[in-house]
Amino acid sequence: MKSSEIYRTTGAIPKKIGNWMFFCTQILFCMSTIAQSAHSYYSCTTTFSNDTLEIVFNIDGKKNIIKEPHKIPIYSYRIPAAPINKQATKADDTIRVSTLNYRLLDSLVWTECNNYRKAKGLNPVKWNDTIYNASSHHSEYQAYYNLVGHGEPIDMPKRKNEQVHYNKIRSFSGEICLIAPITKEKTTYGEAAQYLIKIWKDSPGHNSIMITPDYKSNAFGCAFRYHKNTMFTRENLLIYNPKLLEKIETLCPTYFKERSKMFKEPLTVWATGNFINSSNVRANMEFIENAEVVKNKNGTITYRMKTYRGGFEGTTKRKNKSVMAFIRRIF
């Protein structure tokens, strides 16, 4: 009897055809499950700030919001530079944590700034290590507190001396700051330097400082940190806020699995440049060291003159005179 006759008389399905039908059924079932899952967790938006976590779920067309303190400590110091014998050495080296060289990037940013000033017909500014210590510290301060701005109203743990030094330099300098993402292992040091200068050039206020003709000395300092969102992990939430973790996974069991696929831990860089209109930074520092430090109610620092030194015969007492007015008289 032929196989075709078996089909007609018994209604049986040959083994090969049965296997194919079973396989197709499984595919359809999987596709249906995926479609249903995609429909169930249609969209999700996460906002992870310094203190608060907000997740907006759209599940089956219904909006669900979780918003409460995450309790994860996000403050941390900058990523340390690599050992000297392993640091990158050339502008076309790619930025990697394993070969991180801050001084290389800082010097390239300084070179790009001078190239820009030269194109504008301006004199180059001279690199100064005293200024560099202040600029580098301020970038680390901003990275630690995950903010960007001038001045340091918050006391930084274990950095008191550096903060005092920065406040002195800041009081008589023009300052520019920024925060920007950097794609590690795809961006070279030279490309990063050009990118940072371009950000400042595109900002009128920062650009005006870079091309001020009177400035004679400056330095740039950078600080890298992993993007703050890398702190928001299931492991950290399990340690610091297990109740919040339970809420998230009850509402969306696959949340952290999907998040891990999307988030690739980019680097964030903070950069600071300080410019002064004198090549004699030491004279300015001596002047500031003879001033009275006043911390204002809003957290900013000002300097109230006790005496003037360096440039005047004897001692002249004056009160409530601005630092910049004095600098202009000397230089």
Side-chain angles (χ1 to χ4, degrees):
M1 185 180 291
K2 296 181 180 179
S3 59
S4 59
E5 294 175 340
I6 296 176
Y7 304 157
R8 288 194 296 268
T9 57
T10 65
I13 301 176
K15 185 175 181 181
K16 289 185 179 180
I17 295 177
N19 289 342
W20 276 107
M21 291 185 68
F22 177 80
F23 180 72
C24 292
T25 302
Q26 293 299 311
I27 292 178
L28 290 173
F29 175 79
C30 291
M31 291 177 66
S32 174
T33 303
I34 293 172
Q36 184 179 0
S37 175
H39 174 70
S40 297
Y41 302 105
Y42 178 73
S43 66
C44 173
T45 304
T46 302
T47 304
F48 184 72
S49 67
N50 286 359
D51 304 305
T52 306
L53 170 68
E54 180 177 352
I55 308 176
V56 180
F57 294 103
N58 189 332
I59 302 175
D60 291 330
K62 182 180 179 181
K63 184 177 288 188
N64 293 270
I65 301 176
I66 294 177
K67 184 177 182 180
E68 58 184 85
H70 53 70
K71 301 181 182 179
I72 297 174
I74 67 167
Y75 301 134
S76 66
Y77 294 104
R78 71 179 188 179
I79 299 171
I84 294 177
N85 62 335
K86 295 183 179 180
Q87 289 181 0
T89 58
K90 302 185 295 296
D92 57 357
D93 287 342
T94 57
I95 294 175
R96 295 186 176 91
V97 173
S98 60
T99 59
L100 193 57
N101 186 340
Y102 281 108
R103 196 63 183 251
L104 174 61
L105 178 59
D106 299 337
S107 63
L108 289 171
V109 175
W110 173 74
T111 300
E112 287 296 325
C113 177
N114 274 335
N115 290 342
Y116 179 46
R117 287 176 64 90
K118 183 178 179 180
K120 293 285 186 179
L122 303 173
N123 62 289
V125 286
K126 295 181 179 180
W127 179 275
N128 185 279
D129 280 336
T130 301
I131 300 174
Y132 176 66
N133 291 337
S135 300
S136 182
H137 160 76
H138 188 55
S139 289
E140 181 165 1
Y141 170 90
Q142 295 173 96
Y144 183 83
Y145 287 111
N146 192 45
L147 50 78
V148 61
H150 306 289
E152 298 187 357
I154 309 172
D155 292 334
M156 189 176 182
K158 303 179 182 180
R159 295 290 193 276
K160 182 178 180 180
N161 292 337
E162 289 90 336
Q163 283 194 289
V164 170
H165 176 73
Y166 163 76
N167 284 322
K168 290 177 180 179
I169 294 293
R170 167 80 181 104
S171 65
F172 58 83
S173 68
E175 182 176 84
I176 55 179
C177 306
L178 64 74
I179 177 176
I182 294 291
T183 306
K184 63 179 179 178
E185 301 188 5
K186 289 187 178 180
T187 306
T188 67
Y189 283 84
E191 291 169 343
Q194 294 172 4
Y195 173 52
L196 299 182
I197 291 296
K198 183 179 184 305
I199 292 175
W200 280 319
K201 287 166 64 176
D202 292 341
S203 169
H206 296 95
N207 184 63
S208 65
I209 292 176
M210 284 201 299
I211 60 175
T212 297
D214 294 339
Y215 286 134
K216 297 177 182 177
S217 301
N218 88 322
F220 293 92
C222 297
F224 279 105
R225 259 193 64 183
Y226 288 110
H227 194 284
K228 71 172 183 178
N229 284 350
T230 58
M231 301 295 292
F232 176 42
T233 62
R234 187 183 186 282
E235 290 74 18
N236 279 343
L237 213 52
L238 182 62
I239 296 171
Y240 297 106
N241 199 336
K243 290 184 179 180
L244 179 56
L245 174 62
E246 184 180 356
K247 281 186 181 181
I248 295 171
E249 295 192 329
T250 298
L251 195 58
C252 182
T254 61
Y255 174 80
F256 284 101
K257 182 179 180 180
E258 295 301 320
R259 178 178 171 79
S260 65
K261 295 177 183 177
M262 297 170 58
F263 201 75
K264 300 301 181 182
E265 298 189 8
L267 294 176
T268 300
V269 63
W270 282 261
T272 303
N274 291 91
F275 297 72
I276 72 168
N277 58 1
S278 169
S279 57
N280 191 350
V281 179
R282 180 174 295 180
N284 288 333
M285 290 295 290
E286 288 178 354
F287 162 70
I288 292 299
E289 287 168 1
N290 196 43
E292 178 185 2
V293 179
V294 178
K295 193 166 185 178
N296 302 316
K297 290 182 179 179
N298 62 0
T300 59
I301 296 291
T302 56
Y303 290 86
R304 194 170 292 158
M305 298 303 100
K306 294 186 292 187
T307 61
Y308 282 152
R309 297 191 315 181
F312 293 94
E313 292 183 6
T315 300
T316 304
K317 293 186 178 181
R318 302 188 182 188
K319 295 183 179 180
N320 300 323
K321 297 292 183 180
S322 73
V323 172
M324 291 308 299
F326 175 76
I327 297 301
R328 284 193 291 270
R329 291 188 62 181
I330 294 181
F331 303 104

